[in-house]
């Protein structure tokens, strides 16, 4: 099994890109396909929440929350 912490910038780039073949989009696609298990702690979840909800990124409502929920539901919390 592969484990990885996903940098917030990777998530932002993946969600705002128009290129589904970009490296960041591939990382998120691999995550959602179960290609690796995300690792997280409370501080990175807080950072995801804060950054992904910035209005300047103009994300579709619910997308950030759904991705963060996926990470917490399918990942492993570290301390």
């Amino acid at each position: 099994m592969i484990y990885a912490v996903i940098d917030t910038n990777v998530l932002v780039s993946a969600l705002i890109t128009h290129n589904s073949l970009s490296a960041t989009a591939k990382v998120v696609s691999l995550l959602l396909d179960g290609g690796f298990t995300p690792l997280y702690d409370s501080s990175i979840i807080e950072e995801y929440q804060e950054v992904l909800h910035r209005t300047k990124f103009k994300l579709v409502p619910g997308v950030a929350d759904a991705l963060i929920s996926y990470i917490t539901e399918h990942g492993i919390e570290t301390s």
Side-chain angles (χ1 to χ4, degrees):
M1 179 59 67
I2 298 171
Y3 303 95
V5 175
I6 306 169
D7 185 83
T8 308
N9 293 317
V10 171
L11 296 181
V12 169
S13 294
L15 294 175
I16 65 173
T17 187
H18 298 290
N19 179 2
S20 63
L21 298 177
S22 71
T24 57
K26 288 180 181 181
V27 168
V28 171
S29 179
L30 188 61
L31 164 68
L32 297 175
D33 288 341
F36 66 91
T37 301
L39 301 176
Y40 67 90
D41 64 12
S42 60
S43 64
I44 197 152
I45 296 300
E46 288 173 19
E47 182 177 325
Y48 291 164
Q49 289 282 0
E50 191 273 318
V51 174
L52 295 178
H53 287 93
R54 290 180 182 166
T55 55
K56 69 180 181 180
F57 296 128
K58 300 176 184 164
L59 298 177
V60 175
V63 171
D65 292 327
L67 185 56
I68 294 167
S69 290
Y70 185 91
I71 290 169
T72 59
E73 290 171 15
H74 294 89
I76 296 173
E77 185 172 11
T78 63
S79 32

